[in-house]
Amino acid sequence: MAQKVYIKDLAEYVGKEVTLKGWLHNKRSSGKVKFLILRDGSGLLQCIVFKGNVTEEVFDTADKLTQESSFEVTGLVKEEPRAVGGYELDATDVKLIAPSVDYPITPKEHGIEFLIDHRHLWLRSQRQAAILRIRHRTIKAIRDFFDDRGFVLFDPPILTPNACEGTSTLFETEYFDLGPAYLTQSGQLYAEAGAMALGKVYTFGPTFRAEKSKTRRHLTEFWMVEPEVAFNDLDDNMDLAEEFLEYVVQTVIKEKADDLKILERDVTKLENVKHPFPRISYDEGLEILKKNGVDFEWGNDLGGADETIISSQYDRPVMVHRYPAEVKAFYMKRDPKNEKLALAVDVLAPEGYGEIIGGSQREDDLDLLISRIKEHNLPQEFFDWYLDLRRYGSVPHSGFGLGLERTVSWICGLDHLREAIPFPRMIYRNTP
Ligand code: 4AD
Ligand code: MG
């Protein structure tokens, strides 16, 4: 059987005859020659069909190909620096596989709603395919980082009996005779059990928030990676976060330079993403806001606009630590120097992309944790297993969660998270 050839590998086939399969991205004609732009998922290739080089039937097939028809083309590979992708094919044969009639997404401009309605087809555009390849490489970089450092991948359940990140954003479903179950908001509580068993773990999977917010930073279903490490304190957690983010960003901009070029992303700002990142306290963050004329009351959580002002002071991500405990989750340890503060850290991305990482040192004292669960009005019976982690050899430990779509969106320079995942789920949309 003939070996399958893909456009991205054409460098190996210069001067040889190959057969490629794909879809018609675009077509130009000038009299006796048809220029077919083949798209095969790995790239684009201009195929030249000269009337004199092929049979009448083949020329006719090339003539009738419409946008997104699938076809097979055979020909000689030539180097051509001026052509898209750097190669060209001198076609000797063209075979229609299946027609495409009135493809809805034409080369003209379409509104964003129309495009998301046709997300299943929009994915075929060069831009969307480039974003998805970058997403894939980002996932690989994330996994490589942890795998190479002795972390064990630890898969938490998706159906859970209790909340992790507050009760206001839970998706609820009936679970047989056991009452309600909720789609997980975070794998963290389970990752803590994993860290006590395996030392260093990370979870990586879909998480859910019934977010009522209609912002460009919120999805209802998003992917999160969450490392959790026994014996790490808040400073260790920040060290890990900056080393991790530097690795991911530097790897992706190096490995995916071609796709970032398709997106016309200016990567000079991403090149700055190197440790050490500035570390400022929440109180220092408020000073920055005050200097910029924002009247901010101590005790509130930072909003997107506040994050943008703070992060615009720096040329790389900034880590904001020690938030008021009131606005943070029940499991966070308090600062021994100031009970009002949680040993939390948020990492804010530059260029207005806001919070991409949220993390903390965890409360490791049994009695304090029980009182926090009560203060948050959480049902203690569902946390009994979690409390066991403090009953049997409790140790200081920390971790964080990085939102994959926010990270991809920042790396790609997107306006909205909806393009950073194949099929986005938002408050007003669950199709296609
Ligand atoms: O700050 P969050 O809520 O933290 C947690 O869930 C912790 N349990 C993580 C941990 O310590 N293991 O969420 C972490 C990150 C955010 O910084 C953001 O990047 C992303 O998850 N995120 C969202 N991304 C898209 N849409 C949403 N609705 C998101 N909510 C959070
Ligand atoms: Mg957060």
Side-chain angles (χ1 to χ4, degrees):
M1 214 176 79
Q3 200 191 337
K4 277 213 174 82
V5 178
Y6 290 95
I7 293 170
K8 74 170 174 39
D9 301 322
L10 283 181
E12 299 163 34
Y13 296 91
V14 176
K16 293 189 181 133
E17 176 160 282
V18 297
T19 297
L20 297 132
K21 292 177 186 176
W23 297 262
L24 187 78
H25 178 68
N26 214 336
K27 187 173 74 175
R28 283 187 300 121
S29 299
S30 76
K32 294 189 157 101
V33 53
K34 306 275 167 212
F35 300 93
L36 310 178
I37 309 292
L38 174 77
R39 172 183 77 71
D40 76 347
S42 79
L44 295 180
L45 173 67
Q46 174 158 277
C47 308
I48 301 173
V49 188
F50 266 114
K51 198 166 188 158
N53 281 358
V54 296
T55 65
E56 207 156 301
E57 195 196 338
V58 167
F59 194 76
D60 192 50
T61 303
D63 186 44
K64 290 203 174 108
L65 282 182
T66 52
Q67 191 187 352
E68 291 302 318
S69 302
S70 49
F71 69 106
E72 188 183 300
V73 57
T74 302
L76 196 69
V77 181
K78 291 196 312 193
E79 226 161 338
E80 176 47 75
R82 286 167 305 172
V84 54
Y87 299 92
E88 231 171 40
L89 195 80
D90 254 340
T92 51
D93 194 15
V94 178
K95 285 196 191 95
L96 177 72
I97 298 171
S100 159
V101 182
D102 298 334
Y103 187 68
I105 305 179
T106 58
K108 68 161 197 179
E109 289 273 315
H110 294 282
I112 186 72
E113 283 306 312
F114 179 87
L115 290 171
I116 310 196
D117 280 341
H118 294 86
R119 182 66 175 162
H120 50 293
L121 301 176
W122 188 25
L123 297 171
R124 301 182 184 193
S125 79
Q126 279 307 94
R127 193 183 142 79
Q128 297 307 313
I131 294 169
L132 293 178
R133 284 190 295 262
I134 291 168
R135 177 186 167 103
H136 172 226
R137 193 60 187 82
T138 305
I139 292 171
K140 178 170 159 52
I142 288 169
R143 297 181 64 126
D144 286 348
F145 178 87
F146 291 118
D147 293 348
D148 293 347
R149 284 163 185 75
F151 284 71
V152 176
L153 177 64
F154 186 82
D155 302 314
I158 285 176
L159 288 166
T160 62
N162 55 263
C164 176
E165 297 295 325
T167 49
S168 64
T169 62
L170 288 171
F171 279 111
E172 190 175 320
T173 180
E174 270 315 299
Y175 197 83
F176 305 107
D177 296 335
L178 300 181
Y182 308 98
L183 295 181
T184 189
Q185 297 166 307
S186 155
Q188 179 199 319
L189 305 185
Y190 296 96
E192 289 183 52
M196 299 306 130
L198 298 153
K200 300 196 274 191
V201 298
Y202 70 104
T203 70
F204 199 176
T207 49
F208 305 85
R209 306 269 170 104
E211 297 272 8
K212 303 279 177 343
S213 16
K214 261 194 185 179
T215 81
R216 57 206 185 92
R217 292 179 183 176
H218 289 93
L219 297 170
T220 55
E221 179 179 321
F222 62 98
W223 282 58
M224 182 157 49
V225 55
E226 299 180 86
E228 190 72 32
V229 184
F231 303 105
N232 262 14
D233 64 13
L234 181 65
D235 287 334
D236 299 325
N237 205 32
M238 290 197 271
D239 292 346
L240 181 67
E242 67 182 2
E243 193 195 340
F244 168 61
L245 213 49
E246 171 177 342
Y247 176 82
V248 171
V249 171
Q250 296 310 320
T251 303
V252 174
I253 62 175
K254 186 167 141 250
E255 299 287 321
K256 285 285 143 206
D258 288 357
D259 283 323
L260 288 162
K261 215 171 185 177
I262 291 176
L263 301 177
E264 295 173 3
R265 175 65 162 128
D266 172 9
V267 293
T268 51
K269 293 205 172 99
L270 296 171
E271 282 162 2
N272 292 337
V273 182
K274 302 233 164 96
H275 76 281
F277 296 169
R279 299 180 185 195
I280 64 167
S281 66
Y282 170 88
D283 286 1
E284 288 167 323
L286 262 48
E287 286 299 315
I288 293 172
L289 291 178
K290 204 181 276 170
K291 273 191 206 133
N292 284 273
V294 182
D295 185 22
F296 194 96
E297 199 182 327
W298 194 96
N300 289 331
D301 204 356
L302 299 177
D306 309 313
E307 290 174 351
T308 301
I309 292 171
I310 294 171
S311 63
S312 68
Q313 313 296 310
Y314 306 98
D315 69 345
R316 62 196 69 199
V318 52
M319 304 206 263
V320 183
H321 55 80
R322 294 181 169 78
Y323 282 71
E326 288 271 309
V327 297
K328 290 291 182 188
F330 77 95
Y331 52 72
M332 292 188 183
K333 192 176 177 66
R334 302 289 169 99
D335 186 350
K337 295 202 188 96
N338 181 351
E339 272 296 297
K340 284 205 162 78
L341 300 178
L343 292 176
V345 59
D346 278 3
V347 181
L348 312 182
E351 302 176 72
Y353 282 92
E355 179 200 331
I356 50 168
I357 285 181
S360 70
Q361 186 168 337
R362 321 306 189 187
E363 182 51 72
D364 48 44
D365 180 87
L366 177 65
D367 294 330
L368 285 176
L369 193 54
I370 292 175
S371 58
R372 299 282 144 68
I373 288 171
K374 284 192 184 129
E375 282 164 27
H376 282 80
N377 290 317
L378 295 167
Q380 200 189 312
E381 64 274 24
F382 291 121
F383 289 93
D384 214 37
W385 69 266
Y386 183 62
L387 292 168
D388 271 356
L389 306 177
R390 277 71 179 170
R391 289 189 183 104
Y392 306 109
S394 188
V395 302
H397 60 289
S398 300
F400 61 81
L402 168 101
L404 177 65
E405 290 75 17
R406 287 197 190 170
T407 307
V408 170
S409 176
W410 165 45
I411 292 175
C412 293
L414 309 180
D415 294 337
H416 196 297
L417 249 48
R418 64 192 158 209
E419 288 181 64
I421 186 165
F423 292 96
R425 295 291 174 254
M426 293 164 284
I427 176 168
Y428 46 88
R429 175 178 292 278
N430 63 0
T431 54

